[in-house]
Amino acid sequence: MFVSDTDESIALSDRGWLPGAQLLIAAEPSPALPGPTLHRPYDTIVANAARRHALRPALLHAVIAVESRHVPHAVSPKGALGLMQLMPATARALGVRQPLDPTQNIHGGAQHLRHLLDEFGGDLRLALAAYNAGAAAVHRHRRSVPPFAETQAYVPRVLAQMARFDNPSIFPTTAP
């Protein structure tokens, strides 16, 4: 944990203020409340994307946490880009022109998740499996989570992160 000398803000990071460090939680002083107020990185963008695509913000935060660990310029070995790790072809199909831009990336990822949820009748496990392995793989495996080790691990990881982000004792949505 680090406290800024200038504005009393607090940041929790996985490696301090080193290059490549990931911001885990930030807190800033609030003029209306004594002490810092917790928020998650990209809260406003996530809230807007969740509202626009009828998704829970915790779902988007969870996908971001698992996909990129909140690193906006993340590029996977397979070429997936940004916070929500959009593949270039998927980004183009969604109209995302700058996939490393957090706003475009989160909105594109939210749109993609909404489409997958609709395609799989609201089944979150199947939509997450399709987000990771592709919808064709889920269909090929008779509308079940494909037997790929990565996908088998991915779905429960996102669901666990989602439960954490939904927990108001860890991430309060309003001030106490």
Side-chain angles (χ1 to χ4, degrees):
M1 175 170 74
F2 302 91
V3 180
S4 166
D5 293 333
T6 57
D7 66 359
E8 297 180 350
S9 63
I10 299 171
L12 301 177
S13 172
D14 64 345
R15 290 179 291 228
W17 294 121
L18 300 173
Q22 172 189 339
L23 176 65
L24 301 174
I25 301 173
E28 298 173 351
S30 169
L33 301 168
T37 305
L38 290 177
H39 69 276
R40 294 164 289 222
Y42 310 107
D43 251 353
T44 302
I45 300 168
V46 166
N48 290 336
R51 189 173 24 261
R52 181 174 184 184
H53 298 286
L55 299 169
R56 290 170 47 199
L59 171 60
L60 297 180
H61 279 294
V63 170
I64 291 167
V66 171
E67 288 286 351
S68 68
R69 300 169 87 192
H70 288 90
V71 176
H73 297 297
V75 179
S76 80
K78 295 180 182 178
L81 302 165
L83 291 163
M84 294 195 69
Q85 291 291 277
L86 298 175
M87 291 301 289
T90 303
R92 280 191 300 278
L94 295 167
V96 175
R97 293 178 186 212
Q98 297 176 8
L100 294 176
D101 173 73
T103 300
Q104 288 187 39
N105 189 277
I106 291 170
H107 278 274
Q111 181 182 350
H112 188 45
L113 272 171
R114 174 79 269 156
H115 170 77
L116 293 170
L117 280 164
D118 292 344
E119 182 173 348
F120 293 103
D123 187 320
L124 181 57
R125 291 179 50 79
L126 294 182
L128 290 171
Y131 195 90
N132 178 260
V138 173
H139 286 293
R140 259 194 325 273
H141 290 90
R142 298 185 175 142
R143 294 177 66 91
S144 65
V145 176
F148 313 140
E150 178 184 333
T151 305
Q152 292 282 325
Y154 176 83
V155 172
R157 281 180 45 217
V158 173
L159 294 174
Q161 286 293 321
M162 193 169 140
R164 284 187 59 241
F165 284 112
D166 264 341
N167 185 341
S169 69
I170 297 172
F171 294 105
T173 55
T174 59

